[in-house]
Amino acid sequence: MSSQVRRISWLTLSFMMVAAVASIRSLPTMAVYGLGSVFLYLLPAVVFFIPVALVAAELGTGWNGGMYGWVKQAFGDKLGFWAIWYQWIQVVVWYPIVLAFAADTFAFLINPDLAKNGLFTAVVIIVLYWISTFIALNGLNSLSKLSSWFMIAGTLFPAAVLILLGIAWLLTGHKSEAPLSLGALIPDIFKSTSTIVAGHHREASDFWKSFEGLLGGLVLLVGNFLAFAGIEMNAIHARSLSNPQKQMPKAIALAALLTVLIFVPPTLAISFVVPSTDTSLTAGVMQAYSEFFQRFNMMWAIKTMAVLLIFGALGGVLTWTAGPSAGLLMVGRAGMLPPWWQKTNSKGVQQNILFVQAALVTVLAFFYVIIPNVSAAFWMLSAIAAQIYLVIYIFMFRSALKLRKTQPHVKRGFVCPAIEFWSVLGIISSALALLLGFVPPTQYSSMSPVLYVGIMLAGLILFAIPPFLFYANRKREWQVIPPEEAAKNTAPLQDLVPAPVEAGSTSSDVQVN
């Protein structure tokens, strides 16, 4: 590895992974299951988070270009372009989910009833996202500084406060709304006779009763896969470790532990004070703060916490606003997108792609107007975003397996032990979650199951079509960077031998077997 590479400690990398994944916005979804939420968080961590982290670490220390570079090296230009486009679209669909949380938090500042108003939610989403877009247009420096501070003030601090309030609640003798028995560690959804999905206890009828018990529990787990998504974004930094082979597993283990700690204790704190039947998917965190502060005579703190949570949501959006779109610009300049998509401003920021993002988020925000139930709209967007990401992850795992065979001469900074096991586990988990994502939750009991599945399939297919159309109609003049530079963007980081070595050699291919 070049001595010019900037070194980072494994602790720093671990914290970066946590920052990319952990968020308290999704906690209310699991809070209705009390102690059962521990299981609902741990299972995705083991069968999804760890495989993604290990496999992405090998790919990120072997090739440039992130997801685009990995898929391109394994399956060619067309699928590489599709991968980065799909990843970009997934993030676009994800923005309204995060900002809906901010909208309902903002409602607590002025009128809590507005949390149930779809038009109010849509307007706040649109305003906040356009603010983040204009911040992103000012360049990476202002973006990174603001997102870091917003993450600390709006995510880490509020999570710590929730944990402390939950502990204080129990120590002062208050009754927990959630059962605290040993049997409560098994989620109700796996033993209930009714379908309980997406954070609401409701009796199912007719067709919906077929989705009870174990299947209903598995459907719920799909939503939690997305809670652990995004760790691959920081895998490329593994090559900056002084000893990736030894330090990367430690960084991943600590990140997994910290992420679970950020998810589980605050979730339990919410379950202590908010009855499961009253928990809102988007406003549940503020419900918990309100109850805590009211009982502890700290009502003055509610508005302060609401403002911090809004900053936290905005910080999460800022972190992702420029990243995937910058990758799309790189691919576009290599000849995959028309010149209009490649336009940048005076600071080199991909302005037209950011404007397209903002326009799409504006359209998606009106889901909250079209679908009367705000929680139902939240769930549908979450499900589509999760489905898209799961497809991408399946290709990431397949790419890792193929590159082990087709490019053994590439030196990996970190070699994933038992990569076949972790990749196959990741593929199976992602594929199962993908299929279960088509099972409708009870919010849609009035909707035809066929219509629900049709909407989900339409979302997956329609969002995937544009890159293939662009690729089929690409023109020579679209490529504005030399072929050598385009190839370098996805090339191996340390291709130590120009061709696969012969059998019996002791060269670098031995390191990946």
Side-chain angles (χ1 to χ4, degrees):
M1 184 177 293
S2 172
S3 60
Q4 294 181 352
V5 173
R6 183 179 178 183
R7 300 292 184 188
I8 60 174
S9 70
W10 69 270
L11 281 174
T12 299
L13 180 57
S14 183
F15 294 151
M16 290 169 65
M17 292 178 178
V18 174
V21 175
S23 169
I24 66 174
R25 65 172 175 79
S26 61
L27 304 186
T29 307
M30 295 297 110
V32 296
Y33 302 103
L35 287 179
S37 63
V38 176
F39 174 83
L40 295 175
Y41 277 122
L42 289 180
L43 184 60
V46 173
V47 303
F48 182 74
F49 180 85
I50 293 177
V52 168
L54 288 172
V55 172
E58 172 165 321
L59 293 171
T61 58
W63 292 267
N64 282 317
M67 194 71 72
Y68 164 59
W70 307 337
V71 177
K72 176 186 174 181
Q73 287 287 330
F75 298 106
D77 284 339
K78 184 188 296 185
L79 286 181
F81 177 31
W82 163 83
I84 186 63
W85 176 278
Y86 224 32
Q87 189 175 46
W88 172 69
I89 281 292
Q90 185 277 329
V91 176
V92 171
V93 176
W94 171 81
Y95 291 134
I97 303 169
V98 180
L99 294 177
F101 169 75
D104 281 5
T105 303
F106 183 53
F108 266 82
L109 292 174
I110 51 179
N111 181 359
D113 289 338
L114 289 173
K116 301 176 183 178
N117 187 310
L119 180 60
F120 172 82
T121 301
V123 170
V124 174
I125 289 172
I126 293 168
V127 171
L128 289 180
Y129 190 75
W130 278 96
I131 289 175
S132 71
T133 297
F134 287 117
I135 292 174
L137 288 169
N138 285 319
L140 185 60
N141 287 336
S142 59
L143 191 71
S144 59
K145 290 178 181 178
L146 283 174
S147 62
S148 297
W149 282 108
F150 285 176
M151 187 268 294
I152 293 171
T155 299
L156 298 184
F157 179 72
V161 170
L162 263 181
I163 296 172
L164 293 175
L165 289 172
I167 294 173
W169 182 267
L170 296 180
L171 291 180
T172 52
H174 289 88
K175 178 180 178 296
S176 171
E177 292 290 343
L180 299 180
S181 63
L182 189 62
L185 287 170
I186 301 175
D188 285 343
I189 193 166
F190 288 99
K191 52 189 179 182
S192 175
T193 57
S194 64
T195 305
I196 310 171
V197 182
H200 292 272
H201 290 215
R202 297 181 182 180
E203 293 296 325
S205 61
D206 302 327
F207 173 83
W208 307 93
K209 281 190 176 179
S210 62
F211 299 129
E212 61 186 24
L214 179 61
L215 181 57
L218 291 174
V219 172
L220 177 65
L221 285 171
V222 173
N224 255 12
F225 275 67
L226 191 59
F228 289 96
I231 192 158
E232 78 283 351
M233 293 295 181
N234 284 310
I236 59 173
H237 299 298
R239 55 195 281 257
S240 298
L241 297 171
S242 59
N243 189 338
Q245 195 61 36
K246 290 185 178 180
Q247 295 175 335
M248 193 62 188
K250 292 196 294 184
I252 292 171
L254 180 60
L257 176 62
L258 291 177
T259 300
V260 169
L261 288 177
I262 289 175
F263 282 148
V264 174
T267 298
L268 295 179
I270 295 174
S271 73
F272 293 161
V273 297
V274 183
S276 59
T277 53
D278 297 334
T279 303
S280 166
L281 290 184
T282 51
V285 175
M286 282 309 301
Q287 285 179 313
Y289 280 124
S290 181
E291 188 67 27
F292 277 131
F293 291 144
Q294 184 176 358
R295 297 292 182 92
F296 291 137
N297 296 316
M298 298 172 60
M299 294 301 291
W300 54 269
I302 291 180
K303 290 187 176 181
T304 301
M305 199 57 62
V307 171
L308 290 177
L309 289 174
I310 293 171
F311 280 136
L314 190 57
V317 171
L318 286 173
T319 302
W320 288 82
T321 296
S325 61
L328 197 61
L329 175 66
M330 175 186 72
V331 176
R333 291 170 63 84
M336 302 294 180
L337 289 172
W340 184 89
W341 285 77
Q342 302 176 30
K343 187 175 181 180
T344 58
N345 62 13
S346 60
K347 297 186 178 181
V349 177
Q350 55 281 7
Q351 65 174 34
N352 284 4
I353 294 178
L354 290 179
F355 286 145
V356 171
Q357 281 186 187
L360 290 173
V361 170
T362 300
V363 172
L364 290 172
F366 281 97
F367 263 62
Y368 292 90
V369 179
I370 298 171
I371 302 175
N373 186 328
V374 173
S375 291
F378 177 90
W379 177 264
M380 179 167 280
L381 285 176
S382 297
I384 293 175
Q387 297 289 77
I388 293 173
Y389 224 152
L390 289 168
V391 173
I392 295 170
Y393 278 128
I394 290 173
F395 272 84
M396 185 193 79
F397 289 122
R398 290 186 60 204
S399 296
L401 290 174
K402 185 169 183 179
L403 289 172
R404 273 289 185 97
K405 296 178 180 179
T406 60
Q407 298 191 28
H409 55 287
V410 173
K411 178 177 174 60
R412 284 79 161 161
F414 169 78
V415 179
C416 175
I419 192 170
E420 292 83 4
F421 169 78
W422 292 113
S423 295
V424 171
L425 176 61
I427 291 172
I428 293 174
S429 300
S430 299
L432 180 61
L434 182 66
L435 291 174
L436 290 171
F438 290 105
V439 178
T442 55
Q443 284 94 323
Y444 300 96
S445 57
S446 61
M447 180 186 293
S448 163
V450 176
L451 177 59
Y452 180 86
V453 173
I455 291 174
M456 297 298 293
L457 279 174
L460 286 174
I461 295 171
L462 290 176
F463 285 137
I465 289 176
F468 294 106
L469 294 178
F470 282 127
Y471 189 86
N473 294 281
R474 67 193 187 283
K475 297 177 174 58
R476 184 182 299 274
E477 57 267 25
W478 290 6
Q479 184 166 341
V480 297
I481 59 175
E484 297 78 14
E485 183 179 343
K488 186 178 180 181
N489 286 333
T490 60
L493 297 168
Q494 289 182 281
D495 195 355
L496 296 184
V497 285
V501 294
E502 297 178 358
S505 171
T506 58
S507 191
S508 61
D509 62 318
V510 177
Q511 301 177 43
V512 298
N513 290 328

